[in-house]
Short mmCIF file of all heavy atoms in Angstrom, two decimals:
data_model
loop_
_atom_site.label_atom_id
_atom_site.label_comp_id
_atom_site.label_asym_id
_atom_site.label_seq_id
_atom_site.Cartn_x
_atom_site.Cartn_y
_atom_site.Cartn_z
N LYS A 299 -15.90 -13.01 -2.14
CA LYS A 299 -15.26 -14.26 -2.56
C LYS A 299 -14.69 -14.94 -1.31
O LYS A 299 -14.43 -14.31 -0.29
CB LYS A 299 -14.12 -13.98 -3.57
CG LYS A 299 -14.59 -13.32 -4.85
CD LYS A 299 -15.67 -14.06 -5.59
CE LYS A 299 -15.21 -15.27 -6.33
NZ LYS A 299 -16.34 -15.89 -7.10
N ALA A 328 -3.34 0.59 -9.14
CA ALA A 328 -3.10 0.86 -7.72
C ALA A 328 -1.90 0.05 -7.24
O ALA A 328 -1.56 -0.97 -7.84
CB ALA A 328 -4.34 0.46 -6.93
N PRO A 333 -3.52 -5.48 -4.46
CA PRO A 333 -3.64 -5.84 -5.88
C PRO A 333 -2.54 -6.78 -6.40
O PRO A 333 -2.56 -7.13 -7.59
CB PRO A 333 -3.57 -4.48 -6.60
CG PRO A 333 -2.79 -3.61 -5.69
CD PRO A 333 -3.04 -4.10 -4.29
N THR A 336 -3.81 -9.76 -8.15
CA THR A 336 -4.48 -9.39 -9.40
C THR A 336 -3.43 -9.23 -10.51
O THR A 336 -3.61 -9.74 -11.63
CB THR A 336 -5.25 -8.07 -9.22
OG1 THR A 336 -6.13 -8.22 -8.10
CG2 THR A 336 -6.04 -7.70 -10.47
N LEU A 343 -2.39 -14.40 -17.41
CA LEU A 343 -3.29 -14.32 -18.58
C LEU A 343 -2.52 -13.83 -19.81
O LEU A 343 -2.78 -14.26 -20.93
CB LEU A 343 -4.47 -13.38 -18.29
CG LEU A 343 -5.50 -13.91 -17.28
CD1 LEU A 343 -6.52 -12.83 -16.93
CD2 LEU A 343 -6.22 -15.15 -17.83
N HIS A 344 -1.56 -12.93 -19.58
CA HIS A 344 -0.73 -12.45 -20.69
C HIS A 344 0.14 -13.57 -21.23
O HIS A 344 0.18 -13.83 -22.44
CB HIS A 344 0.13 -11.28 -20.22
CG HIS A 344 1.22 -10.92 -21.19
ND1 HIS A 344 0.96 -10.42 -22.44
CD2 HIS A 344 2.57 -11.04 -21.09
CE1 HIS A 344 2.10 -10.23 -23.08
NE2 HIS A 344 3.09 -10.60 -22.28
N GLY A 348 -2.34 -15.08 -23.84
CA GLY A 348 -2.12 -14.05 -24.86
C GLY A 348 -2.82 -12.72 -24.62
O GLY A 348 -3.04 -11.96 -25.56
N VAL A 355 -3.06 1.75 -22.10
CA VAL A 355 -2.45 2.93 -21.46
C VAL A 355 -2.78 2.85 -19.97
O VAL A 355 -3.88 2.44 -19.61
CB VAL A 355 -3.03 4.23 -22.08
CG1 VAL A 355 -2.57 5.46 -21.32
CG2 VAL A 355 -2.65 4.33 -23.56
N PRO A 389 6.65 1.22 -22.73
CA PRO A 389 6.95 2.13 -21.61
C PRO A 389 6.29 3.51 -21.77
O PRO A 389 5.88 4.11 -20.78
CB PRO A 389 8.48 2.24 -21.64
CG PRO A 389 8.93 0.99 -22.31
CD PRO A 389 7.85 0.59 -23.28
N THR A 479 -11.11 12.92 -9.43
CA THR A 479 -10.41 12.28 -10.56
C THR A 479 -10.82 10.81 -10.64
O THR A 479 -11.17 10.30 -11.71
CB THR A 479 -8.87 12.36 -10.37
OG1 THR A 479 -8.51 13.61 -9.80
CG2 THR A 479 -8.13 12.12 -11.66
N SER A 483 -13.71 8.08 -13.54
CA SER A 483 -13.44 6.85 -14.29
C SER A 483 -14.77 6.21 -14.68
O SER A 483 -15.75 6.28 -13.94
CB SER A 483 -12.65 5.85 -13.44
OG SER A 483 -11.52 6.49 -12.90
N ALA A 498 -13.70 -0.65 7.52
CA ALA A 498 -13.70 0.32 6.40
C ALA A 498 -14.67 -0.13 5.31
O ALA A 498 -15.39 0.69 4.72
CB ALA A 498 -12.29 0.48 5.85
N ILE A 501 -18.41 0.45 6.37
CA ILE A 501 -18.85 1.86 6.26
C ILE A 501 -18.94 2.25 4.78
O ILE A 501 -19.86 2.95 4.37
CB ILE A 501 -17.88 2.80 7.00
CG1 ILE A 501 -17.84 2.42 8.49
CG2 ILE A 501 -18.31 4.25 6.85
CD1 ILE A 501 -16.86 3.21 9.29
N VAL A 526 -14.41 -8.36 -2.45
CA VAL A 526 -13.76 -8.49 -1.15
C VAL A 526 -13.74 -9.96 -0.73
O VAL A 526 -14.56 -10.75 -1.20
CB VAL A 526 -14.51 -7.66 -0.07
CG1 VAL A 526 -14.56 -6.19 -0.45
CG2 VAL A 526 -15.93 -8.16 0.16
#
Side-chain angles (χ1 to χ4, degrees):
K299 299 304 284 184
T336 306
L343 290 172
H344 167 66
V355 172
T479 322
S483 308
I501 300 176
V526 301

